[in-house]
Amino acid sequence: MNNSLSIEEIFNLVRDTLNRAGSSSHQSEAVADTISRAERDGSVSHGLFRLPGYFASLKSGKVNPNPNPNLSQITKAVLKCDGDRSYAPLVHKKFLNNLVNVSKDIGVGILSINRVAHFASLWPETEILAENGLVGIACTSYMPAVAPFGASKKLYGTNPISFAWPRKNENPIVFDMATSSLALGDVQIAARDGHDLPIGTGIDKNGNDTTDPKKILEGMLLPFGGYKGSHFAMMIEFLAGPLVGETTSFITKENNINDGGPPLGGQFIMALAPEIISDLNDWDKNAEPFIEKLSSFDGVRIPGKRRHDNRNNIEKVEVNSELLNKIYSLK
Amino acid sequence: MNNSLSIEEIFNLVRDTLNRAGSSSHQSEAVADTISRAERDGSVSHGLFRLPGYFASLKSGKVNPNPNPNLSQITKAVLKCDGDRSYAPLVHKKFLNNLVNVSKDIGVGILSINRVAHFASLWPETEILAENGLVGIACTSYMPAVAPFGASKKLYGTNPISFAWPRKNENPIVFDMATSSLALGDVQIAARDGHDLPIGTGIDKNGNDTTDPKKILEGMLLPFGGYKGSHFAMMIEFLAGPLVGETTSFITKENNINDGGPPLGGQFIMALAPEIISDLNDWDKNAEPFIEKLSSFDGVRIPGKRRHDNRNNIEKVEVNSELLNKIYSLK
């Protein structure tokens, strides 16, 4: 089997697979764009690895095969979207541009999203905002997989957050990370490949430290960075849950169709216009010397740079053969 | 010497001390309010401990003894304040109410502050927002004290961030924490009291691990939580710096009068209205079960609860005698 695929072949594979499960082409292409961009950038855990989960959520009826997400403008700064049980990338494709316009007009905009299934990274949405000259912040909460600091019961999702800082003539600075010690996808990949994980990544179902990813999957992850990371995980429960009119992770789980994928839920996306908030046309003059300094330090990784570098050099992606077989056999 | 003071006595001590250094009563009282609230809540490192620093910054001429901060409304969502070299609490006292009004009107508001000296915690400002039914987020950046993850040179301030979640019939949930492993004030107190600090708190000036707070003060702190915490520290450099039209920490330091206290700089404060963003009057129905669940877990500390508990039980505060002598002798 040829498991070396071009980005276009990955796009087509995703689109055709989701179409086969009944999705509208419009929705399939939005997801295909997100997955192929992840593979292009070397983000394996959010690439094709997710496709069987997407497929299952169409088959289970959780995700609407032919959704029609709609947008309402609540105020000059706040947009609200009912996702109509779509995949989040469809909402982004349709409405991120509205958020850009609101934010450029009034300095800040919020896109408050309900009823979407978010299986992807968050950088695709914040990166687009930054490419439009805006600061992007996005977060979402998943089903409980993480114990609050000090506890040995799950309550928080892996609750990722992404932040993007725009630059006038360079790629934006973008980070996107789980507030758990590790993303759930990475634990799943470690379990699949039989790799141990460091102590502190998670605990088993009885609350004991373990290095075995399978025991962590049966048990729970820990937040990154002790009580401080736990506070950020909690913050994201509030922002991507009650603030946007959705439940928090543990209630979301109770309402979820248990098909293995993420539940339907909310997303909080915010854009900030530095030109307006700083009241300076040359707002970047205060940021560029800092980025230059940070880049000059030995041992420092500029967030987003590896993805941008991968992107520039990519021709073909080697896809795990077992995964590819699984995708071909999905029905 | 009687070193057991009531909150009112602490308020008066701060006001009289700053008046003695030439500050307008209006400004002195804003700071006295902030410091006495910190002592009331048991936040020792942001209480009277800071007063000699405030005093020094008036004496050095860094802080304006009789400032007149002014506010301009850039858009319906963005307020900009020139602090006129005041202490930040004066700006909050004057203008946080404007931020409340903007946010209740349009769903989100930003107060972009320049040219203030911020010596205090951030919870006083986010807590007020939450007491008005708003989500509060505030951050500020200090002079470089923290090495980015992987480096052994300072670039980030201790860069605190505070988040407050409003509740209808209960005290808000509020966290306020440095994105360094420890707040600088706590390292200073450990140095004063001769306590060791855990490995991972900071490194000496040559980049070596150390448990000695004095060596960390000569060297640098580390971010909390490895590269993820480092990303948050970086995010705050952008938000409280270039986004609000200010420099980042390392440039701020170059422009600073070296009087021992924090430099003049910016602050980013944002308020979000859950009723508008969720488009629900009963937005709290999604948050309260989560808070209840979190509170039911053994070993979990609800952020802000200790401060609120201290507040309810306070009569007198025992102040460090050496500190009190130092304050009495300030001139």
Side-chain angles (χ1 to χ4, degrees):
Chain A
M1 184 175 67
N2 174 20
N3 66 338
S4 175
L5 303 184
S6 71
I7 303 306
E8 191 185 347
E9 287 167 333
I10 290 170
F11 180 97
N12 293 341
L13 175 61
V14 175
R15 183 196 56 203
D16 297 347
T17 304
L18 294 178
N19 282 352
R20 207 163 75 230
S23 172
S24 70
S25 282
H26 195 51
Q27 174 164 248
S28 300
E29 284 168 11
V31 173
D33 188 47
T34 297
I35 288 187
S36 59
R37 285 164 74 194
E39 290 286 354
R40 175 198 65 186
D41 289 6
S43 302
V44 175
S45 65
H46 287 93
L48 288 169
F49 178 70
R50 297 280 175 178
L51 188 52
Y54 278 96
F55 193 93
S57 64
L58 281 162
K59 285 294 182 179
S60 73
K62 180 194 288 173
V63 168
N64 187 345
N66 193 16
N68 186 24
N70 72 78
L71 193 74
S72 47
Q73 182 149 6
I74 308 282
T75 69
K76 277 195 182 297
V78 178
L79 304 171
K80 192 104 176 38
C81 172
D82 173 52
D84 194 24
R85 298 191 295 114
S86 62
Y87 295 120
L90 179 64
V91 165
H92 305 148
K93 192 176 173 181
K94 284 188 77 168
F95 300 128
L96 272 182
N97 203 42
N98 299 70
L99 179 61
V100 168
N101 292 337
V102 158
S103 317
K104 291 206 160 187
D105 181 35
I106 205 161
V108 53
I110 288 168
L111 179 55
S112 166
I113 303 174
N114 295 141
R115 291 209 306 157
V116 289
H118 203 307
F119 290 55
S121 308
L122 303 175
W123 60 259
E125 40 266 40
T126 59
E127 187 177 283
I128 286 175
L129 296 171
E131 284 167 359
N132 281 278
L134 300 164
V135 178
I137 298 178
C139 54
T140 187
S141 65
Y142 274 19
M143 286 193 296
V146 178
F149 180 75
S152 53
K153 287 184 193 169
K154 297 182 203 180
L155 185 66
Y156 303 148
T158 53
N159 294 6
I161 181 167
S162 177
F163 170 84
W165 178 261
R167 302 178 73 186
K168 284 184 179 166
N169 302 305
E170 300 281 344
N171 290 322
I173 308 285
V174 187
F175 70 72
D176 178 4
M177 59 196 190
T179 50
S180 51
S181 57
L182 204 63
L184 199 54
D186 290 324
V187 183
Q188 288 162 345
I189 287 175
R192 182 190 75 185
D193 297 349
H195 297 149
D196 275 1
L197 293 169
I199 284 286
T201 305
I203 49 183
D204 69 19
K205 62 187 175 191
N206 302 313
N208 302 312
D209 283 334
T210 177
T211 61
D212 181 345
K214 286 178 181 155
K215 287 193 175 165
I216 293 173
L217 291 172
E218 290 162 15
M220 65 212 88
L221 284 161
L222 292 171
F224 91 96
Y227 81 91
K228 293 188 179 190
S230 193
H231 284 359
F232 279 116
M234 181 197 72
M235 178 181 83
I236 292 167
E237 289 284 339
F238 285 120
L239 295 180
L243 182 65
V244 299
E246 287 277 359
T247 52
T248 54
S249 294
F250 88 98
I251 302 280
T252 306
K253 180 181 165 64
E254 290 172 7
N255 301 333
N256 185 45
I257 298 174
N258 198 7
D259 59 5
L264 294 174
Q267 187 180 15
F268 172 80
I269 309 182
M270 181 164 62
L272 302 157
E275 193 166 329
I276 294 173
I277 295 171
S278 70
D279 205 19
L280 295 172
N281 288 325
D282 57 348
W283 52 270
D284 55 317
K285 74 176 176 192
N286 287 321
E288 290 302 320
F290 169 75
I291 297 168
E292 203 173 298
K293 190 85 162 179
L294 183 62
S295 307
S296 77
F297 281 9
D298 285 340
V300 167
R301 188 172 71 79
I302 300 294
K305 185 168 185 308
R306 194 183 52 187
R307 284 194 304 95
H308 280 105
D309 289 347
N310 286 343
R311 183 180 308 183
N312 293 334
N313 301 322
I314 199 77
E315 291 191 0
K316 295 263 187 177
V317 175
E318 301 295 314
V319 182
N320 176 287
S321 303
E322 200 181 326
L323 172 61
L324 211 49
N325 273 326
K326 188 172 174 183
I327 291 170
Y328 290 139
S329 68
L330 287 171
K331 53 182 150 196
Chain B
M1 183 176 67
N2 175 21
N3 66 338
S4 176
L5 303 185
S6 72
I7 302 305
E8 192 185 345
E9 287 167 333
I10 290 170
F11 180 97
N12 293 341
L13 174 62
V14 176
R15 182 196 56 204
D16 296 348
T17 304
L18 295 178
N19 282 352
R20 206 163 74 229
S23 172
S24 70
S25 282
H26 196 50
Q27 174 164 251
S28 300
E29 284 168 12
V31 173
D33 188 46
T34 297
I35 288 186
S36 59
R37 285 165 74 195
E39 290 286 353
R40 174 198 66 185
D41 288 6
S43 301
V44 175
S45 65
H46 287 93
L48 287 169
F49 177 69
R50 297 279 176 180
L51 188 52
Y54 278 97
F55 193 93
S57 65
L58 282 162
K59 285 293 180 180
S60 73
K62 181 194 287 175
V63 168
N64 187 344
N66 192 17
N68 186 23
N70 72 77
L71 192 74
S72 48
Q73 182 150 6
I74 308 282
T75 70
K76 276 195 183 297
V78 177
L79 304 171
K80 192 103 177 37
C81 172
D82 173 50
D84 195 24
R85 299 190 295 115
S86 62
Y87 295 120
L90 179 64
V91 165
H92 305 147
K93 191 175 174 182
K94 284 188 77 168
F95 299 128
L96 272 182
N97 204 42
N98 300 69
L99 180 61
V100 168
N101 292 337
V102 159
S103 317
K104 292 207 160 186
D105 180 34
I106 205 160
V108 54
I110 288 168
L111 179 55
S112 167
I113 303 173
N114 295 141
R115 291 209 305 157
V116 289
H118 203 307
F119 290 57
S121 307
L122 304 175
W123 60 259
E125 40 267 40
T126 59
E127 187 178 284
I128 286 176
L129 296 171
E131 284 167 359
N132 281 279
L134 300 164
V135 178
I137 298 178
C139 53
T140 187
S141 65
Y142 273 19
M143 285 195 296
V146 177
F149 178 76
S152 52
K153 286 184 195 168
K154 297 182 203 180
L155 186 65
Y156 303 148
T158 52
N159 294 7
I161 181 167
S162 177
F163 170 85
W165 178 261
R167 302 178 72 185
K168 284 184 178 167
N169 301 305
E170 300 281 344
N171 290 322
I173 307 285
V174 187
F175 71 72
D176 178 2
M177 59 196 190
T179 50
S180 51
S181 58
L182 204 64
L184 199 55
D186 290 323
V187 182
Q188 288 162 345
I189 287 175
R192 181 191 74 186
D193 297 349
H195 297 147
D196 274 1
L197 293 169
I199 284 285
T201 304
I203 49 183
D204 70 18
K205 62 187 174 190
N206 301 315
N208 302 311
D209 283 333
T210 178
T211 60
D212 180 346
K214 286 178 182 157
K215 288 193 174 165
I216 293 173
L217 291 172
E218 290 162 14
M220 64 211 89
L221 284 160
L222 291 171
F224 90 97
Y227 82 91
K228 293 188 179 190
S230 194
H231 284 359
F232 279 116
M234 181 197 72
M235 178 181 82
I236 291 166
E237 289 285 338
F238 286 120
L239 296 180
L243 182 66
V244 299
E246 287 277 0
T247 52
T248 54
S249 294
F250 88 98
I251 302 281
T252 305
K253 180 181 165 66
E254 290 172 7
N255 300 333
N256 185 45
I257 298 175
N258 200 7
D259 60 4
L264 293 174
Q267 186 179 16
F268 172 80
I269 309 182
M270 181 165 62
L272 302 157
E275 194 166 326
I276 295 173
I277 295 171
S278 70
D279 205 20
L280 295 172
N281 286 326
D282 57 349
W283 52 269
D284 55 317
K285 73 175 178 193
N286 288 320
E288 289 303 319
F290 169 77
I291 297 168
E292 203 173 298
K293 190 83 163 182
L294 183 62
S295 307
S296 77
F297 282 8
D298 286 340
V300 167
R301 187 172 71 80
I302 300 293
K305 186 169 185 307
R306 193 183 54 189
R307 283 194 304 96
H308 280 105
D309 289 348
N310 286 343
R311 183 180 308 182
N312 292 335
N313 300 322
I314 199 78
E315 291 191 1
K316 294 262 186 179
V317 175
E318 301 294 315
V319 181
N320 177 288
S321 303
E322 198 181 327
L323 172 61
L324 212 50
N325 273 326
K326 189 172 173 184
I327 290 169
Y328 290 139
S329 67
L330 287 171
K331 53 183 151 191

